[in-house]
Amino acid sequence: MRNIGIMAHIDAGKTTTTERILYYTGKSHRIGEVDDGEAIMDWMEQEQERGITIQSAATTAWWKGCQINIIDTPGHVDFTAEVERSLRVLDGAVAIFDAVHGVEPQTETVWRQAERYRVPCIGYVNKMDRTGADFFQVLADIQAKLGIPTAPVQIPIGKEGAFEGVIDLVTMEEIRWDGPEGERLVRNPVGAGREVLAAGWRDKLIDALSSVSDLVTERYLGGGAVDAELVKQELRKAALGRALLPVLAGASRRNMGVQPLIDAVVDYLPAPDEVAPALGRHLKKEEDIPVPCDPRGAPLGLVFKIQNDREAGSLCYVRMYSGVLKPGAVVYNIGKRKRERANRVLRMHSNKSEPLEELAAGDIGVIIGLKLAQTGDSIGSEGWPVILEKMSFPEPVISISLEPRNLSDREKLGEALALLSREDPTFTTKESEETGQLIISGMGELHLDVLVTRIQKEYGLQAKVGNPQVSYRESVGKTVEWTERYSRVIAGKENSAELSLRVEGLGRGSGNRYASAVTNRAAPQAVYDAVERGIRGAFDSGIVLGYPCIDVGVTLTALKYSELTGTEFAFEACASMGFDEACRSADPFLLEPIMAVDLAAPHEFVGDVMNLITARGGQVLSMDSRTGSDYVKALAPMSRMFGFMTALRSATQGRAGFTMEFSHFEKK
């Protein structure tokens, strides 16, 4: 079994390649094209209209006796949460690179995500038939930008319009594709004019392998032949340890290169029991323990995605790490300490499904019937309460207001927003206390545009959309000691509390921190818990303008407790009021989100592009020149970047593009 993801920058050919994999493995009977809106994996109406992937879609194919669970992920930076949660549960990934543009900005982002979860990868250089394609330049780009040594297992025969096949450096054969859909592979010995080039690159492959494999070094130095089986065996070990990146070439749109890619998935990517066991926190023992991939073990799985289905309700995508789950079984939500029943267990093929008799360790499937489960929840049995590591998602950085047309729609709109925010952890909703408006927040303008369109089309709700607003943050500039007293008579009973706090600003990116320095435990633990609740609640409600606080440290330094009048309510309220007053005296200031902007423009427009960025308060960090285009990296404040795409297109005749993702918060 292989659990793999297809990841890359937007428009590198992820869905196109996945469609070919499904066709050649016999899972589908025709090739669906993204450009025609007929791709099987892009099943949402939004995806078909826009020609981009928005939600990661799962499917299963079979190849040479091997079960391959595939997740096709989005490439647009606004949907980075879909990539994050997919990589969390996958054992391997195929990184697709555009042969013309090489390593693009979002490629670097998804590569860092894969690195965080230690996911072994293979590389596939797509679009070898495009003008400007350069396989060897992409190899250099990968090593320079991603910092991993490459091991090309193929080199292309020709390029651009003359691309006709590849030379397999493992078996030293030429591979070409024949038939109306490229379903027939034709293998021949290496042609006379290409023998020297192929031998040179095979030596480089052996050289790269010998740097990580003693066995290959001994065989090579001993004068013995390094045969194809040894190369595959040692290359597999190197790929599993992320020491080398095996790289293949092809042109998926022209049905060239995909079958050897599926072979490489089987040859070089791990089975679920070949990766390091997942780590879980045993709640009773209070220690981290490994979770071996064993179907005979106690059941344990991770809910990594929730999708709402009108007929079936919540579809919970689950990766099983241990044991077996059967339809009708009672499932224990370990974090929430609640029992639920798994009514049905399904295997997904994009938006279609087939019933499963069981979901065993290492497999990925969907459970219907779990009403309480959320993304990141661990499910299993009460006898083995182990929580798997949760996923971390980036903070939303852009907000807009939504107003229903009439009061009767308001409740329906609230329900629709609740369902969408359950599906997408980077989408949040709240009601503004001052204006009563519904405020929705997300990762970018496209993200919110897609969600608003879904509300209008899927739920039939027309809502007025306000202008985008930036989600600022607040912090403090100096350290302040503060004592707060609280006394109220409520329902004839006096409630009183007194405590002292120290509030200080922390370094950017440190997060909020609460600690208690009170050693004399005169008050019960519930009182200290109430103080912590009050402080943590106050972090979210802001200081002056009501934006959430970040990088603020709060220490409880003293506490006075009376058995007669001290209550949990009084201490929670006292802590919240004390925090507000202390922060107002500690030079509070506003922080604005700064975005990392990556631009690509033809050489003649690069000056105009830089002017556009600097005019919006941006700072150019670097410029990289490549065939046909210049690439500019910059930082710019989010508040000045609204409508930037329109300005960029008009300044460059529509020939430049850009991607933008959140970088950090900076003092305004």
Side-chain angles (χ1 to χ4, degrees), residues 59 91 179 208 238 246 248 267 348 556:
T59 188
D91 304 318
L248 298 92
D267 290 341
M348 295 305 287
L556 176 67

Side-chain angles (χ1 to χ4, degrees), residues 77 174 413 505:
V77 69
E174 290 188 355
L413 183 60

Side-chain angles (χ1 to χ4, degrees), residues 55 74 91 105 154 175 216 311 338 341 356 537 594 611 613:
Q55 286 197 348
D91 304 318
Q154 294 176 349
I175 304 174
V216 172
E311 289 155 21
K338 299 278 186 198
R341 189 171 294 281
L356 279 180
I594 302 295
N611 289 340
I613 278 284

